[in-house]
């Protein structure tokens, strides 16, 4: 069975992410959430992804200038259950990107301090800097 047949991605209420973000995500805090998405297997929530405005207005200006700063958002949380199918994270990110209202300019960060190298973002054609 293919990933797209086994899993679905849906927009969810931001409150549905809180338990995940506070107890499963390593940061243990709720970020700015403008958009929230759930990864489902047989109608069971098995992952969350959130997108919000970055904490730094200077970052938004610096990414693309003041003219486009209102379009800058951050993919700020990605958290799924362990033991899922290979490539599920890139599938989840890809599906959510297609569901976001356009136009959007997205940034995200990989925390090298805990061994994250941004491979998921690179696999979905983000520019790594």
């Amino acid at each position: 069975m293919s990933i797209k047949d086994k899993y679905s991605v849906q927009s969810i209420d931001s409150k549905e992410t809180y338990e995940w973000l506070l107890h499963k995500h390593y940061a243990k805090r709720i970020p700015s959430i403008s958009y929230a998405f759930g990864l489902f297997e047989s109608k069971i929530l098995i992952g969350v992804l959130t997108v919000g405005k970055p904490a730094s207005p200077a970052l938004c200006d610096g990414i693309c200038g003041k003219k486009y700063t209102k379009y800058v958002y951050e993919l700020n949380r990605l958290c799924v259950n362990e033991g899922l199918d290979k490539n599920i994270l890139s599938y989840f990110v890809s599906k959510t990107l297609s569901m976001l209202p356009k136009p959007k300019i997205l940034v995200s960060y990989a925390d090298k301090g805990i061994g994250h190298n941004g491979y998921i973002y690179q696999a979905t054609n983000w520019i790594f800097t």
Side-chain angles (χ1 to χ4, degrees):
M1 180 182 290
S2 74
I3 286 179
K4 67 181 180 178
D5 294 329
K6 187 174 179 181
Y7 301 100
S8 66
V9 176
Q10 299 170 26
S11 212
I12 60 174
D13 188 277
S14 62
K15 289 183 175 101
E16 292 182 69
T17 69
Y18 292 2
E19 188 72 21
W20 284 78
L21 301 179
L22 292 173
H23 301 289
K24 290 189 178 194
H25 193 272
Y26 70 91
K28 306 287 187 221
R29 61 185 171 79
I30 307 296
S32 160
I33 300 175
S34 302
Y35 306 96
F37 299 93
L39 176 66
F40 293 86
E41 181 178 12
S42 301
K43 299 184 182 182
I44 298 170
L45 183 64
I46 59 168
V48 299
L49 182 150
T50 62
V51 173
K53 290 303 285 181
S56 168
L59 168 86
C60 296
D61 292 349
I63 292 287
C64 57
K66 288 190 182 294
K67 181 177 178 182
Y68 299 102
T69 195
K70 67 183 177 184
Y71 300 116
V72 178
Y73 283 79
E74 178 184 2
L75 189 162
N76 50 25
R77 295 292 185 272
L78 174 60
C79 182
V80 299
N81 285 339
E82 292 188 24
L84 299 179
D85 292 337
K86 183 179 178 182
N87 299 324
I88 192 62
L89 288 173
S90 55
Y91 167 79
F92 189 19
V93 170
S94 177
K95 290 295 282 185
T96 60
L97 295 179
S98 70
M99 296 169 72
L100 285 170
K102 308 294 187 277
K104 289 285 179 281
I105 300 166
L106 289 179
V107 297
S108 194
Y109 298 93
D111 189 345
K112 287 188 165 267
I114 62 161
H116 293 175
N117 294 300
Y119 297 140
I120 303 310
Y121 306 121
Q122 293 175 59
T124 54
N125 296 317
W126 291 53
I127 299 169
F128 182 75
T129 59

